Amino acid sequence: MACFSCEIMALALVLSLVSSSAELQKLEHSIKNDGSLSLLVIGDWGRKGEFNQTHVATQMGRIGEELGIDFVVSTGDNFYDSGLTGVDDKAFEESFTNVYTAKSLQKQWYSVLGNHDYRGDVLAQLSPVLRELDNRWLCLRSFILNTEIVDFFFVDTTPFVDHYWNNPESHHYDWREVAPRQTYVSNLLKDLDSALKESRATWKVVVGHHTIRSVSIHRDTKELLSSLLPILKAHGVDLYVNGHDHCLEHISSNDSPIQYLTSGGGSKSWRGVFNSNSDKLRFFYDGQGFMSLQLTKTVAQVVFYDAFGSVLHKWSVTKELHSSI
C-alpha cells in the first residue's frame, strides 16, 4: 500500500479536534498548487471484484492517473449484499483493498453508507480499525469536507426512507446510534441547514446514497424530495451526487441550478428499467462505470466513463468571481 502518512496524520488531527456535539464533523483536504481539485466518484461496488467491479477499478486507476486525482468519493453500498459482519470481515479486503490497487487510487476515500451497508454491522464500517487495515478508508454517517474552493456535505440518507423502517421484509437494518429515527433525521437536517448557510465556498456539493431524481429502477426518493431538497435549493447547492441506482445519470433541475448526478455503476448493473422524469434528463447509461469531477474557482467539469474507460458524457459550468467587500 502506497504511503501518504502526511495526509493521514492531518486527517487524524482533524478527527481528534472534532466536537462530540450534534454538529456535523468537519474534515479538511488541500487542493493542488494551481488551485484545482480532481476526484473520482464510484458507488454500489463491493462485490469482491465480480460483476465487472475489477474492470471498473482498472479504468478508475487509469483515469485517476491522467487527472492526478486528489481523492475518491464513494456514494455507498460499499459491501454487498449485507454490509460487513464485523471489523474482521474479509469482504473489506476482498472488495476494497484487493480491488482498487492502482497507484492513483492510493488516496483518501471518503464514503457514506448505503442501505445494503445498513443490513450488516454499520459500526464496523465506521470503525477506525478498518483505517488501520487500509489507511485510505474513511466512512462516517454524515460529515463535511472543506477544501479551499468547494465544500462537500456527506449525508446519511438511509434513515430517511420509510420502508426500511416500516416494511423491511426479510432484511435486518442496524439502527444503532440512529433510533429514534425522528430525532436523528431532524437533527441531521438542522445541522445540514446550518452548515450550508455558513459555507462560503465557491461550490457546494452534497453527497448521499439515495437518489433525489432518477429515471432508473428506484426513481425519485420521495422522502428526500420533501425534506432534503428544499434545504439544498435554499442554499444554492450546485451538485447532488448519489448512487443507489446501478447506473450513470445526469439530470438538471428545472427550477434551480442543482445538477443530480448518479454514479452507482461500480459493479452489478443493467437493470433494463427507464422511468420518465419531470426534470431535464441530460444523460442516462444503464451500465457500469464511474464519474470524475474537476473543479477550479470558476469551472466545474463532470465526466462519466464506462467500464472500458470510454467517455460517455461531459458537462461543465462556470461561475464568475466576485470580489469580497
Side-chain angles (χ1 to χ4, degrees):
M1 184 66 60
C3 177
F4 50 107
S5 58
C6 291
E7 289 187 19
I8 291 300
M9 288 176 64
L11 177 62
L13 177 61
V14 173
L15 283 169
S16 69
L17 294 176
V18 166
S19 169
S20 60
S21 71
E23 292 184 358
L24 297 179
Q25 297 187 3
K26 296 180 181 178
L27 312 180
E28 294 183 357
H29 200 113
S30 60
I31 59 177
K32 294 182 176 67
N33 291 335
D34 65 1
S36 67
L37 186 73
S38 301
L39 59 132
L40 298 181
V41 182
I42 186 73
D44 304 83
W45 43 268
R47 297 184 186 271
K48 302 179 181 179
E50 297 180 353
F51 296 98
N52 286 339
Q53 184 191 358
T54 300
H55 292 297
V56 174
T58 297
Q59 296 306 318
M60 287 175 63
R62 182 177 68 85
I63 300 300
E65 183 71 24
E66 290 179 4
L67 300 182
I69 61 167
D70 299 286
F71 55 85
V72 179
V73 167
S74 171
T75 58
D77 276 3
N78 306 313
F79 302 98
Y80 284 95
D81 277 331
S82 299
L84 297 177
T85 59
V87 293
D88 57 351
D89 190 338
K90 293 300 181 184
F92 177 72
E93 294 169 308
E94 293 168 348
S95 291
F96 179 59
T97 302
N98 298 344
V99 175
Y100 301 101
T101 57
K103 181 180 179 180
S104 67
L105 303 181
Q106 308 309 306
K107 301 292 180 67
Q108 190 66 57
W109 284 56
Y110 297 103
S111 307
V112 291
L113 297 165
N115 53 297
H116 282 268
D117 299 312
Y118 263 97
R119 295 178 187 176
D121 183 344
V122 166
L123 300 188
Q125 283 202 50
L126 305 177
S127 173
V129 172
L130 295 188
R131 293 199 290 275
E132 295 175 5
L133 296 174
D134 191 322
N135 55 15
R136 296 176 293 172
W137 182 254
L138 177 67
C139 184
L140 301 172
R141 294 190 193 273
S142 299
F143 61 102
I144 303 169
L145 179 63
N146 297 130
T147 75
E148 186 176 333
I149 57 175
V150 54
D151 284 345
F152 295 86
F153 303 83
F154 292 76
V155 179
D156 183 19
T157 59
T158 300
F160 284 78
V161 181
D162 291 337
H163 73 82
Y164 300 143
W165 297 83
N166 303 330
N167 187 26
E169 300 174 340
S170 60
H171 303 300
H172 166 77
Y173 290 89
D174 183 0
W175 297 127
R176 288 177 295 171
E177 300 182 2
V178 173
R181 176 195 183 195
Q182 184 175 358
T183 300
Y184 180 84
V185 170
S186 176
N187 287 340
L188 175 52
L189 289 172
K190 181 180 68 175
D191 293 341
L192 178 64
D193 182 65
S194 297
L196 284 168
K197 183 178 181 179
E198 293 172 2
S199 174
R200 295 296 179 264
T202 303
W203 305 98
K204 297 179 184 179
V205 178
V206 175
V207 179
H209 176 65
H210 290 80
T211 62
I212 290 183
R213 292 291 197 197
S214 175
V215 298
S216 192
I217 190 168
H218 292 301
R219 311 180 84 164
D220 300 348
T221 304
K222 60 182 179 62
E223 295 89 349
L224 299 186
L225 285 174
S226 62
S227 60
L228 181 61
L229 183 56
I231 294 175
L232 306 192
K233 288 182 176 180
H235 296 295
V237 167
D238 299 286
L239 309 177
Y240 177 75
V241 181
N242 62 272
H244 197 46
D245 267 331
H246 298 182
C247 62
L248 306 174
E249 297 181 81
H250 177 194
I251 298 174
S252 294
S253 171
N254 286 331
D255 60 3
S256 78
I258 298 177
Q259 308 298 313
Y260 305 103
L261 305 171
T262 297
S263 183
S267 57
K268 189 176 182 180
S269 296
W270 305 109
R271 296 295 183 94
V273 175
F274 179 85
N275 298 291
S276 60
N277 192 282
S278 59
D279 278 335
K280 182 178 181 179
L281 177 64
R282 292 182 179 269
F283 165 72
F284 172 62
Y285 178 67
D286 188 24
Q288 290 116 342
F290 59 100
M291 186 188 97
S292 69
L293 177 59
Q294 297 173 271
L295 301 117
T296 67
K297 283 186 177 181
T298 57
V299 180
Q301 182 180 68
V302 174
V303 182
F304 286 96
Y305 310 83
D306 65 14
F308 302 100
S310 300
V311 173
L312 299 176
H313 174 67
K314 281 185 177 182
W315 177 86
S316 63
V317 64
T318 60
K319 284 191 176 185
E320 295 182 3
L321 286 175
H322 299 283
S323 59
S324 58
I325 298 175

